[in-house]
Amino acid sequence: MKKQIALSVIFLILIGQICLLATAPKDTNYWYYHELIYKAECAIFDSNKIDAGFQYYDQAFNNFEFNYVHDLMNAAQLAHFYHRDYMKYLKRGVGYGLRPAHLSYIPAWKKLTVKKEFLEYFKSDDGKKTRQAYLATINQDYLAWLYHFSLEELKYRRSPDPNRMYEEHFAKWDEELLQKINEYGYPGAKIIGINDSLLYKNLNNNDLNYNQLVFKSADSLCLAPLKPLTPMVLETGDTIWVKDNTNEMDCPELSYWYLGQTAAAIYMVHNPCPFKVFLNIYDEIAKGNLHPREYTVLIDQSRMHTEKCDCGKYSTLFFRIGNFSQADFFKKYFMPEDETDALRKQYWIIPLHVERAKASFAEKYGYRFNWGMNNCFK
């Protein structure tokens, strides 16, 4: 009898612990999330500690309510290579915007059953429910505002009028953007979702049809000489606007393979003095609204404007983030690799030699780890 009571007590304790874990609050400081992803990639690509790497991945994904979908995609590819459960990462990715179309960009999966398996899940009741839960998180008003905001900047940037006062508009635009950021947070994937040309259909909201907005604005965007433009549906299901009888895309559009949200970043890249915004969005990293690589790639690219604007401490930093930062123009800003690695670690960005090993792995086995604007998620 005593033994039965003791076993019952142990059972109740275990049940209580399981319930406690299930209801435990998620971590909210995303610097820790990025630290775990950093450790996962270093373990796998630098130390060949595969089990440890996946433990770090799972800890990051399970401890935080929001996951960056490119991290899930990378974990899925590595799990596939090492014969582990890759579908758990792909299924989880649906909750953050992943669609079957994105798998078309993985060379190693083009002739395998991975896409078919994922498509079956995506169309299942559970997959549809997960997709709907993701759509419900998107701040549609904020995204619609951002599309119109970015097109306004684009209109002035493409204007042939030498008196267009393009750079003078940025002071006003910065204030508008910062006001929205103060109200809602930085417009990244966590708040407005990832780039997705089908979003307007899923949400029945034509204000989110970016390509159609561009087409309607063709004259003011100086696209009139390039018309007529016609829609072309890609193999992935995404739509772009092209000239008749060609595959040449003549109007700007958001790239849907980025696995990130780039509308605000495109504006920031062309900002002739972006440091005011930089100083006001750093805290968004800890909230999960802005990825450290998204932040640092913008700092790198702001070097294009340093001759005109040399504001703040950021003008002395260079992280070598993304493909664009490797261009000859930027090489004069390179620091010794150990100094660059030390700087990158402050933002939990893997060392350059690990990044090279990661790229070599992808090229050798047909995977893809470079996502985001200018491949900032490398």
Side-chain angles (χ1 to χ4, degrees), residues 41-91:
E41 295 189 341
C42 287
I44 292 173
F45 293 109
D46 194 30
S47 304
N48 198 32
K49 296 179 179 178
I50 310 306
D51 290 340
F54 282 106
Q55 288 173 4
Y56 286 129
Y57 268 134
D58 290 340
Q59 191 175 351
F61 300 145
N62 295 330
N63 284 15
F64 288 84
E65 184 175 353
F66 171 77
N67 299 164
Y68 283 91
V69 70
H70 72 271
D71 290 329
L72 289 162
M73 179 69 104
N74 291 351
Q77 292 177 84
L78 290 167
H80 176 263
F81 179 81
Y82 288 109
H83 306 290
R84 296 167 186 253
D85 183 8
Y86 55 86
M87 279 300 298
K88 73 175 183 179
Y89 300 115
L90 295 178
K91 289 178 180 179

Side-chain angles (χ1 to χ4, degrees), residues 91-280:
K91 289 178 180 179
R92 192 180 186 97
V94 175
Y96 305 102
L98 189 67
R99 292 195 283 112
H102 294 119
L103 274 61
S104 299
Y105 297 106
I106 312 297
W109 288 352
K110 286 190 175 180
K111 295 183 179 180
L112 299 179
T113 60
V114 177
K115 289 196 297 182
K116 181 180 179 182
E117 187 178 0
F118 181 57
L119 180 61
E120 289 175 354
Y121 169 76
F122 192 79
K123 291 182 176 181
S124 70
D125 290 342
D126 188 45
K128 291 177 181 177
K129 182 179 178 181
T130 304
R131 173 73 176 175
Q132 288 301 317
Y134 161 71
L135 296 173
T137 67
I138 294 172
N139 186 327
Q140 297 182 50
D141 292 339
Y142 195 5
L143 180 57
W145 174 86
L146 185 62
Y147 280 171
H148 287 280
F149 175 81
S150 63
L151 288 175
E152 178 73 7
E153 180 272 328
L154 185 63
K155 177 180 72 175
Y156 281 91
R157 173 157 43 93
R158 294 178 66 96
S159 172
D161 181 3
N163 299 314
R164 65 190 187 282
M165 303 292 285
Y166 172 57
E167 294 186 358
E168 284 76 2
H169 282 82
F170 274 94
K172 175 177 73 73
W173 290 334
D174 284 351
E175 290 298 328
E176 292 178 9
L177 179 59
L178 288 173
Q179 183 177 351
K180 289 290 184 180
I181 291 173
N182 289 334
E183 184 175 358
Y184 300 114
Y186 182 83
K190 184 181 177 184
I191 295 177
I192 58 175
I194 63 174
N195 294 352
D196 189 339
S197 67
L198 301 183
L199 202 59
Y200 77 97
K201 290 183 179 180
N202 296 154
L203 293 170
N204 193 28
N205 186 344
N206 284 326
D207 287 338
L208 304 182
N209 188 347
Y210 183 79
N211 282 314
Q212 186 64 40
L213 293 172
V214 169
F215 183 68
K216 289 181 178 179
S217 305
D219 292 333
S220 62
L221 294 175
C222 302
L223 293 170
L226 305 177
K227 292 192 295 184
L229 298 173
T230 56
M232 181 175 75
V233 180
L234 304 178
E235 178 187 359
T236 61
D238 298 303
T239 301
I240 61 173
W241 292 85
V242 300
K243 286 198 296 187
D244 285 341
N245 303 318
T246 76
N247 288 336
E248 182 181 350
M249 183 172 59
D250 278 313
C251 65
E253 55 98 34
L254 302 180
S255 295
Y256 300 111
W257 56 264
Y258 278 176
L259 293 183
Q261 177 55 246
T262 58
I266 292 171
Y267 164 80
M268 294 283 290
V269 166
H270 296 101
N271 191 330
C273 187
F275 299 100
K276 177 181 178 182
V277 181
F278 288 156
L279 292 169
N280 285 275

Side-chain angles (χ1 to χ4, degrees), residues 289-345:
N289 298 332
L290 178 64
H291 195 283
R293 281 182 172 269
E294 292 176 307
Y295 186 68
T296 52
V297 76
L298 293 173
I299 293 175
D300 278 1
Q301 294 193 24
S302 70
R303 284 290 197 175
M304 293 185 295
H305 308 295
T306 51
E307 294 181 1
K308 298 180 181 179
C309 173
D310 193 20
C311 303
K313 64 178 182 179
Y314 294 102
S315 62
T316 65
L317 306 179
F318 197 74
F319 295 84
R320 294 173 64 174
I321 303 295
N323 291 349
F324 196 62
S325 69
Q326 307 304 315
D328 289 341
F329 171 83
F330 294 103
K331 288 183 178 178
K332 58 188 174 183
Y333 301 117
F334 282 13
M335 300 181 295
E337 189 159 312
D338 60 337
E339 294 182 20
T340 303
D341 287 342
L343 177 63
R344 289 161 68 103
K345 189 173 183 180

